[in-house]
């Protein structure tokens, strides 16, 4: 600004156009140092957007939300795109309309001039052989601009035109890359009335700007290694073999820079996933990171609770959606935290136990006797009544009822306690006010899709963190110098990235419309990257050379620079010291000893006084499984069954046969047609609720019908052998020495003084024979026989239209006695301090829900038994 020297110390007569406000402070310091005066009145320093916004306009400006609603209604009415996502299409089209407005050849300061410019462009392009999609877009844009309302792009044009017309002060411009066409037109118009001085980094640092392309022509220069200065002292590359290694290396380098005294560190994150992991590692090391980039609201938890609420409402309170909602810390924030958590836990236990899939009214009925749940469920009912899904409403009405429902649920209270939540509530209120005059009516699903899209357009930045380390993006580094810069995630997939709005239109279409193409954005990224390298003398580039087992590639910009440096100086700029530091850190990690096979011991008081048949089976299969399930009670929560499983089928078959034999203890003497008809009627009654819940229940019922003739034939045969049905579903609770054994048998038959215990199984004959192959491995029949002092016991296989009796090969009374004795002995050993080892065989472990607790894979690759006084290898006949 030497031209303003005569004005010192008052520079207020000049304006400096900044690429971002981060440049203001160092620029002010540089001006003060250059002036060398005790006091200096600084020039106006502003960004182009803020300068334009300071210009008042007479006509009101239509907001993006209003434009979006108007265009959506037009697309919905025309029905041009069938079942396409019209809201996404609307967003893309509006962005294209703005680019079309900015592509006009002249700046227009009033409505008449703008209309003339649009008409001129329309007529010029109307005669061009445009592709169908390009012509459609252009026609829509022309229609949208036919009114007198100002959109953001049009308002910006008018403001810039007024600024240029009023130009009277010298303008100094800091530039690092190409301007948009409308920005360049503004500078040209301004220069007609006042002095404009552009400081272009590409001209000021030609040794950098000319590395990748000819600045004058914009064409690639090829590998001209003689142009590359030595960069070994200022630029290094780290090639990681995984996301984790890249994040660890980046975090370590930041800590090394801090230890070396660097106090202004920028992390230019190209890969947001790597950035998240790196941030977690830095926070673990007590290094906070400021974030200039921010996150869109649709990725934040404050929006998640709102989305969960609407999802639960739309799914008729599907149990997963409801539980996800209730587990949010923002709902019922006006209740005590302990009270809220207890209510949610109670409801989850209740609905999982009762198996209710969906329906708020069903949940309310279910919790009739649970007073702690009455208020939360009543509030959900009240809030759901506000959002009437069956009606169509305006967007403003939907937003109003949403706010009311959030208030009823106490969500707004929780949001008010969070900075991001406060911004979200302000955004909802602003959209409601903006759309107050929009008369379009939308179904609940349409409005919800609109809301989700709106949240994706708003960015939240946490300004509460002040740190020497900051996340930023490439465009925000223009004209900025840092103590150190980390370029994170610079692989070919992320640099250059995919241009926004390019998914619907190809470059050919955009070129036909006179719009910027992907190459325009790529060129700007290249300029920004070279400007960053020119202004900073300590830069580390990280990238993943392997990703998901496939080879990864460095960004072509950086790969070209690296190759040229290798040719010119024999140095590929690889970062080796950081690799060594990582290796040293790994070497100093404390190696934890290999996990041992768990074999916990319990006190005599902790040994249960009684066990069920299933618990005894668990003890035999794997003592540790018994310990986790039945002593620690770590059983998984019951899943709410949404489809019928084979277990449900088996339970229904048991119930059908119980009801049938209560009516027909003997089938002999009754016509087969009568018996089968009765069985069918009972079956329909038992399956009735499942048939209403799941259409697939018909397949299970048909499967059962297939076995009816075989079952009646088998029943007649067993009666012919002298056996008579006596009772079913009878419970027992036998007191043994130091332990009680409890259970319930399916059926008991008698023949004179003999007893036969039967257990129905909807499994094949071979599967059941395998269960009984090793005596003592399956304790079910033996325990049933012992409890009822039966001489015989057998499974009844009902499968694939066949009914077979499957009996143990060994003496049943002896098997029953040995099983009872083994239970007494084993429980005695446990009381005496014997461990409960995790020694189940693979067939047991593969479906065991306790595998994550015993961590078998960490201490063995195969089968191993630890001596603990007993093992699953003991047999009842040993």
């Amino acid at each position: 600004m030497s031209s303003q020297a005569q004005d010192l110390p008052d520079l207020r007569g000049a304006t400096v156009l900044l690429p971002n406000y981060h440049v203001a402070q160092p620029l002010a310091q540089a001006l003060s140092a250059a002036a060398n005066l005790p006091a200096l009145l600084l020039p106006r320093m502003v960004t182009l957007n803020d300068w334009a916004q300071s210009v008042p306009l007479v006509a009101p400006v239509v907001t993006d939300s209003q434009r979006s609603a108007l265009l959506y209604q037009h697309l919905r009415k025309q029905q041009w795109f069938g079942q396409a996502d019209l809201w996404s299409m609307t967003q893309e089209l509006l962005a294209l309309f703005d680019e079309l407005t900015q592509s006009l050849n002249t700046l227009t300061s009033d409505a008449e001039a703008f209309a003339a410019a649009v008409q001129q462009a329309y007529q010029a392009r109307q005669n061009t052989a445009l592709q169908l999609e390009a012509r459609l877009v252009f026609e829509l844009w022309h229609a949208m601009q036919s009114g007198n309302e100002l959109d953001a792009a049009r308002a910006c044009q008018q403001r810039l035109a007024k600024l240029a017309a009023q130009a009277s002060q010298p303008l100094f411009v800091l530039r690092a890359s190409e301007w948009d066409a409308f920005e360049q037109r503004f500078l040209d118009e301004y220069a007609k009335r006042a002095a404009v001085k552009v400081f272009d980094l590409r001209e000021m640092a030609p040794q950098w700007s000319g590395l990748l392309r000819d600045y004058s022509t914009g064409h690639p220069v090829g590998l001209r290694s003689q142009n590359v200065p030595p960069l070994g002292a200022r630029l290094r590359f780290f090639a990681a073999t995984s996301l984790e290694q890249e994040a660890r290396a980046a975090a370590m380098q930041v800590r090394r820079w801090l230890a070396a005294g660097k106090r202004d560190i920028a992390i230019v994150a190209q890969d947001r996933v790597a950035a998240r992991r790196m941030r977690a590692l830095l926070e673990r090391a007590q290094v906070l990171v400021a974030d200039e980039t921010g996150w869109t609201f649709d990725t934040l938890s404050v929006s998640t609770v709102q989305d969960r609420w609407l999802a639960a409402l739309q799914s008729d309170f599907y149990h997963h959606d409801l539980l996800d909602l209730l587990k949010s810390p923002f709902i019922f924030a006006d209740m005590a935290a302990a009270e809220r958590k207890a209510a949610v836990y109670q409801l989850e236990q209740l609905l999982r136990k009762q198996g209710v899939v969906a329906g708020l009214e069903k949940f309310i009925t279910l919790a009739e006797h649970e007073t702690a749940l009455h208020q939360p469920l009543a509030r959900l009912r009240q809030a759901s009544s506000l959002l009437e899904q069956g009606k169509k409403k305006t967007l403003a009405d939907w937003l109003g009822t949403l706010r009311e429902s959030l208030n009823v649920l106490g969500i707004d209270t929780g949001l008010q306690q969070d900075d991001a939540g406060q911004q979200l509530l302000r955004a909802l209120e602003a959209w409601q006010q903006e759309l107050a005059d929009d008369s379009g009516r939308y179904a609940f699903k349409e409005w919800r899709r609109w809301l989700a899209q709106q949240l994706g357009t708003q960015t939240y930045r946490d300004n509460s963190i002040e740190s020497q380390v900051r996340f930023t993006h490439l465009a925000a580094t223009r004209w900025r110098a840092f103590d150190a810069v980390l370029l994170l995630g610079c692989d070919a997939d992320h640099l250059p990235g995919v241009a926004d709005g390019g998914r619907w239109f190809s470059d050919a279409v955009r070129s036909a419309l006179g719009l910027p193409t992907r190459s325009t954005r790529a060129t700007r990224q290249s300029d920004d990257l070279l400007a960053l390298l020119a202004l900073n003398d300590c830069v580390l580039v990280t990238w993943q050379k392997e990703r998901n087992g496939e080879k990864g590639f460095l960004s072509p910009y950086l790969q070209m620079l690296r190759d040229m440096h290798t040719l010119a100086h024999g140095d590929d700029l690889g970062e080796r010291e950081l690799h060594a530091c990582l290796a040293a850190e790994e070497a100093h990690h404390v190696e934890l000893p290999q996990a041992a096979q768990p074999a916990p011991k319990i006190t005599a008081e902790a040994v249960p006084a009684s066990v069920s048949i299933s618990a005894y089976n668990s003890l035999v299969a794997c003592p540790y499984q018994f310990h986790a399930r039945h002593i620690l009670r770590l059983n998984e929560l019951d899943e709410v069954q949404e489809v019928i499983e084979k277990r449900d089928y088996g339970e229904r078959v048991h119930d059908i046969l119980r009801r049938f034999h209560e009516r027909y203890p003997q089938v002999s003497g009754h016509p087969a047609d009568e018996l089968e008809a009765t069985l069918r009627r009972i079956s329909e009654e038992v399956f009735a609720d499942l048939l209403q819940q799941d259409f697939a229940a018909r397949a299970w019922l048909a499967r059962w019908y297939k076995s009816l003739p075989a079952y009646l034939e088998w029943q007649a045969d067993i009666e012919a052998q002298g056996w008579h049905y006596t009772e079913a579903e009878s419970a027992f609770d036998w007191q043994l020495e130091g332990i009680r054994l409890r259970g319930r048998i399916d059926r008991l038959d008698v023949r004179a003084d003999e007893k036969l215990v039967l257990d129905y199984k909807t499994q094949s004959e071979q599967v059941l024979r395998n269960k009984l192959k090793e005596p003592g491995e399956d304790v079910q029949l033996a325990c049933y026989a012992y409890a009822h002092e039966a001489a015989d016991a057998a499974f009844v296989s009902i499968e694939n239209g066949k009914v077979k009796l499957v009996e143990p090969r060994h003496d049943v009374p002896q098997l029953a006695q040995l099983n009872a004795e083994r239970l007494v002995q084993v429980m005695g050993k446990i009381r005496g301090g014997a461990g409960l080892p995790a020694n189940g065989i693979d067939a047991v472990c593969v479906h065991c829900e306790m595998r994550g607790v015993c961590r078998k894979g960490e201490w063995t690759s195969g089968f191993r038994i630890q001596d603990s006084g007993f093992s699953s290898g003991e047999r009842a006949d040993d």
Side-chain angles (χ1 to χ4, degrees):
M1 298 181 66
S2 57
S3 59
Q4 302 302 114
Q6 70 277 7
D7 297 328
L8 290 173
D10 188 355
L11 298 179
R12 289 177 297 174
T15 298
V16 180
L17 208 54
L18 304 175
N20 55 72
Y21 284 113
H22 299 289
V23 182
Q25 183 177 354
L27 177 59
Q29 293 171 346
L31 289 173
S32 297
N36 195 24
L37 295 173
L40 182 68
L41 296 176
L42 294 171
R44 179 180 189 177
M45 292 185 281
V46 66
T47 63
L48 182 60
N49 182 64
D50 283 356
W51 196 15
Q53 291 296 324
S54 67
V55 177
L57 292 175
V58 176
V61 179
V62 178
T63 64
D64 287 342
S65 61
Q66 292 169 321
R67 295 173 67 209
S68 177
L70 180 63
L71 180 56
Y72 178 87
Q73 292 169 45
H74 183 70
L75 295 178
R76 183 176 62 179
K77 180 180 179 181
Q78 296 300 328
Q79 298 182 347
W80 288 331
F81 303 104
Q83 299 300 314
D85 182 359
L86 294 185
W87 283 122
S88 292
M89 192 171 293
T90 296
Q91 189 175 35
E92 289 187 8
L93 286 172
L94 289 177
L96 287 168
F97 293 166
D98 289 344
E99 290 180 324
L100 281 167
T101 299
Q102 293 164 359
S103 70
L104 292 175
N105 293 325
T106 58
L107 286 176
T108 57
S109 59
D110 54 53
E112 291 77 10
F114 180 81
V118 170
Q119 190 63 30
Q120 181 181 3
Y122 178 68
Q123 291 174 350
R125 294 173 189 174
Q126 192 177 33
N127 299 322
T128 305
L130 296 179
Q131 297 180 24
L132 176 62
E133 56 181 344
R135 182 171 294 280
L136 174 62
V137 168
F138 199 74
E139 294 285 351
L140 282 171
W141 170 71
H142 183 256
M144 289 285 287
Q145 301 297 348
S146 60
N148 293 323
E149 299 87 358
L150 298 180
D151 56 39
R154 186 172 167 184
C156 182
Q157 281 225 3
Q158 293 197 13
R159 289 184 170 114
L160 291 178
K162 288 187 176 184
L163 280 176
Q166 299 166 3
S168 60
Q169 297 179 335
L171 178 63
F172 299 89
V173 182
L174 301 186
R175 184 177 184 177
S177 57
E178 289 293 331
W179 288 101
D180 288 327
F182 78 98
E183 296 170 329
Q184 186 61 56
R185 285 194 297 274
F186 163 72
L187 292 178
D188 294 341
E189 291 294 323
Y190 196 100
K192 294 177 182 179
R193 298 170 179 84
V196 175
K197 174 63 176 176
V198 177
F199 296 92
D200 195 326
L201 264 181
R202 296 170 299 177
E203 297 175 353
M204 299 169 66
Q207 72 276 21
W208 287 97
S209 61
L211 281 179
L212 303 182
R213 63 189 181 90
D214 188 331
Y215 169 62
S216 61
T217 66
H219 297 145
V221 298
L223 293 177
R224 297 196 305 197
S225 58
Q226 66 272 21
N227 295 338
V228 182
L231 303 175
R234 60 190 300 161
L235 175 64
R236 286 291 171 184
F237 292 84
F238 182 92
T241 56
S242 65
L243 171 68
E244 181 65 20
Q245 188 186 49
E246 182 180 19
R248 286 180 53 234
M252 174 175 283
Q253 184 60 61
V254 169
R255 288 187 281 119
R256 292 176 67 204
W257 280 335
L258 289 172
K262 297 187 184 299
R263 292 296 175 261
D264 189 9
I265 301 172
I267 304 168
V268 183
Q270 302 298 123
D271 185 345
R272 297 291 275 176
V273 177
R276 280 195 182 99
R277 179 57 183 152
M278 177 192 179
R279 182 171 194 158
L281 292 172
L282 286 174
E283 290 180 350
R284 184 186 298 175
Q286 308 291 312
V287 178
L288 294 180
V289 183
D291 192 348
E292 296 177 357
T293 306
W295 302 89
T296 55
F297 269 97
D298 57 354
T299 65
L300 302 179
S301 59
V302 293
S303 297
T304 301
V305 64
Q306 177 181 276
D307 184 65
R308 286 176 178 174
W309 161 231
L310 297 178
L313 191 65
Q314 191 170 336
S315 66
D316 190 24
F317 293 92
Y318 174 63
H319 65 283
H320 279 309
D321 292 337
L322 177 61
L323 291 175
D324 283 345
L325 170 66
L326 295 179
K327 289 177 182 179
S328 169
F330 294 104
I331 192 171
F332 303 136
D334 49 0
M335 296 173 59
E339 181 184 357
R340 182 179 71 245
K341 291 178 181 179
V344 173
Y345 176 79
Q346 190 174 355
L347 178 62
E348 182 172 13
Q349 295 291 325
L350 190 63
L351 67 88
R352 288 184 184 276
K353 182 178 180 180
Q354 299 299 325
V356 180
V357 176
L360 181 59
E361 295 303 322
K362 293 180 181 178
F363 296 142
I364 291 174
T365 302
L366 194 66
E368 183 179 1
H369 303 295
E370 308 291 342
T371 54
L373 299 179
H374 290 176
Q375 184 189 9
L377 291 176
R379 293 173 72 174
L380 285 169
R381 175 194 274 167
Q382 181 185 352
S384 64
S385 67
L386 296 171
L387 289 161
E388 303 167 282
Q389 296 185 66
K391 294 184 178 181
K392 287 190 174 184
K393 302 180 183 179
T394 65
L395 295 176
D397 287 343
W398 279 122
L399 289 168
T401 53
L402 172 64
R403 292 294 307 276
E404 291 179 41
S405 69
L406 296 181
N407 180 57
V408 170
L409 295 174
I411 293 177
D412 62 343
T413 302
L415 295 179
Q416 289 287 0
Q417 298 168 4
D418 184 275
D419 183 53
Q422 293 173 20
Q423 290 192 32
L424 173 61
L425 292 176
R426 287 196 293 270
L428 294 176
E429 184 178 2
W431 293 331
Q432 185 179 356
Q433 293 173 355
E434 292 171 1
L435 295 163
D437 296 330
D438 177 58
S439 59
R441 306 187 75 80
Y442 305 82
F444 180 82
K445 290 183 179 179
E446 290 179 292
W447 165 71
R448 189 180 171 203
R449 179 68 188 90
W450 169 85
L451 181 60
Q453 182 168 284
Q454 287 292 106
L455 292 173
T457 64
Q458 302 293 308
T459 301
Y460 168 73
R461 295 180 179 86
D462 186 357
N463 297 319
S464 63
I465 297 177
E466 294 185 5
S467 174
Q468 300 163 340
V469 183
R470 72 191 72 197
F471 279 124
T472 189
H473 54 94
L474 194 56
T477 64
R478 293 169 186 166
W479 280 85
R480 296 174 71 181
F482 304 92
D483 289 349
V485 176
L486 177 68
L487 284 164
L488 181 69
C490 293
D491 54 68
D493 292 335
H494 293 95
L495 184 66
V498 178
D500 295 335
R503 293 179 291 117
W504 207 46
F505 295 100
S506 65
D507 273 359
V509 176
R510 297 178 67 84
S511 179
L513 290 171
L515 304 178
T517 61
R518 287 180 177 85
S519 62
T520 307
R521 183 174 185 270
T523 299
R524 184 168 296 171
Q525 280 189 307
S526 172
D527 289 341
D528 288 339
L529 177 62
L530 292 174
L532 176 66
L533 295 176
L535 291 175
N536 293 275
D537 57 9
C538 181
V539 179
L540 175 68
V541 176
T542 70
W543 60 290
Q544 295 175 50
K545 65 179 181 181
E546 294 179 18
R547 186 185 292 268
N548 300 323
E550 297 183 0
K551 186 176 181 179
F553 298 95
L554 182 62
S555 164
Y557 303 148
L558 293 166
Q559 186 65 59
M560 186 182 298
L561 178 62
R562 191 179 189 188
D563 290 343
M564 288 191 293
H565 193 274
T566 303
L567 289 173
H569 306 287
D571 180 6
D572 67 357
L573 301 176
E575 173 54 69
R576 295 169 181 81
E577 186 177 346
L578 185 55
H579 276 288
C581 291
L582 280 175
E585 184 181 64
E586 291 174 356
H588 284 86
H589 279 173
V590 177
E591 290 293 335
L592 297 176
Q594 184 179 7
Q597 179 188 25
K601 299 179 181 181
I602 59 175
T603 63
E605 294 76 16
V607 177
S610 68
V611 294
S612 64
I613 300 297
S614 63
Y616 187 11
N617 250 335
S618 177
L619 178 62
V620 172
C622 174
Y624 187 86
Q625 183 190 84
F626 169 80
H627 172 257
R629 281 182 182 173
H630 302 284
I631 296 177
L632 299 181
R633 300 189 182 280
L634 299 179
N635 307 56
E636 290 182 323
L637 289 173
D638 293 332
E639 288 293 333
V640 177
Q641 293 185 13
E642 303 177 50
V643 296
I644 298 175
E645 299 176 354
K646 192 166 185 180
R647 181 181 64 179
D648 304 303
Y649 170 65
E651 291 174 352
R652 301 300 162 125
V653 168
H654 281 64
D655 193 23
I656 291 167
L657 294 177
R658 178 186 61 79
R659 295 190 191 188
F660 175 75
H661 285 296
E662 285 177 353
R663 182 165 182 177
Y664 293 100
Q666 285 190 309
V667 300
S668 304
H670 296 279
D673 292 347
E674 174 190 334
L675 296 172
E676 185 169 345
T678 303
L679 262 177
R680 284 180 175 271
R681 186 173 63 255
I682 295 172
S683 299
E684 290 175 358
E685 293 173 359
V686 172
F687 270 85
D689 61 326
L690 294 181
L691 291 172
Q692 291 180 351
Q693 173 186 331
D694 187 359
F695 185 80
R698 299 180 184 278
W700 290 104
L701 183 58
R703 180 177 180 174
W704 164 239
Y705 282 161
K706 186 179 178 181
S707 300
L708 297 189
Y711 180 79
L712 292 174
E713 182 181 349
W714 171 83
Q715 179 62 31
D717 289 344
I718 202 170
E719 289 179 10
Q721 298 172 26
W723 293 106
H724 300 285
Y725 171 88
T726 302
E727 58 182 280
E729 300 297 329
S730 56
F732 64 86
D733 193 342
W734 271 77
Q735 179 65 53
L736 304 176
E737 184 181 345
I739 189 71
R740 293 202 323 274
L741 180 65
R742 64 182 188 277
R744 183 183 299 273
I745 67 164
D746 289 349
R747 171 173 165 176
L748 178 65
D749 283 17
V750 297
R751 182 174 62 185
D753 293 335
E754 297 177 87
K755 294 181 181 179
L756 171 63
V757 175
L758 298 175
D759 191 64
Y760 300 124
K761 296 290 185 184
T762 54
Q763 295 173 301
S764 68
E765 179 183 5
Q766 187 57 49
V767 169
L768 296 176
R769 292 201 183 281
N770 290 339
K771 274 190 174 186
L772 300 176
K773 187 175 181 179
E774 293 291 341
E777 280 296 299
D778 190 281
V779 304
Q780 193 173 13
L781 288 181
C783 290
Y784 288 162
Y786 184 87
H788 286 80
E789 299 179 335
D792 293 293
F795 291 128
V796 180
S797 169
I798 306 174
E799 181 73 356
N800 293 328
K802 299 177 182 178
V803 179
K804 299 286 186 180
L805 200 67
V806 182
E807 301 175 278
R809 294 181 301 170
H810 305 83
D811 183 70
V812 172
Q814 182 186 18
L815 198 62
Q817 183 63 37
L818 290 174
N819 263 283
E821 291 176 0
R822 179 175 62 175
L823 177 61
V824 171
Q825 292 169 6
V826 167
M827 298 307 288
K829 289 181 179 180
I830 295 173
R831 286 191 201 89
L836 293 165
N839 60 11
I841 61 174
D842 290 343
V844 172
C845 296
V846 69
H847 297 299
C848 180
E849 76 278 16
M850 300 303 165
R851 189 182 180 96
V853 182
C854 80
R855 297 176 179 261
K856 182 176 181 179
E858 294 188 11
W859 47 265
T860 181
S861 58
F863 175 67
R864 181 173 71 180
I865 295 179
Q866 177 174 315
D867 184 16
S868 59
F870 69 90
S871 76
S872 62
E874 292 181 309
R875 305 299 179 200
D877 55 352
D878 286 348

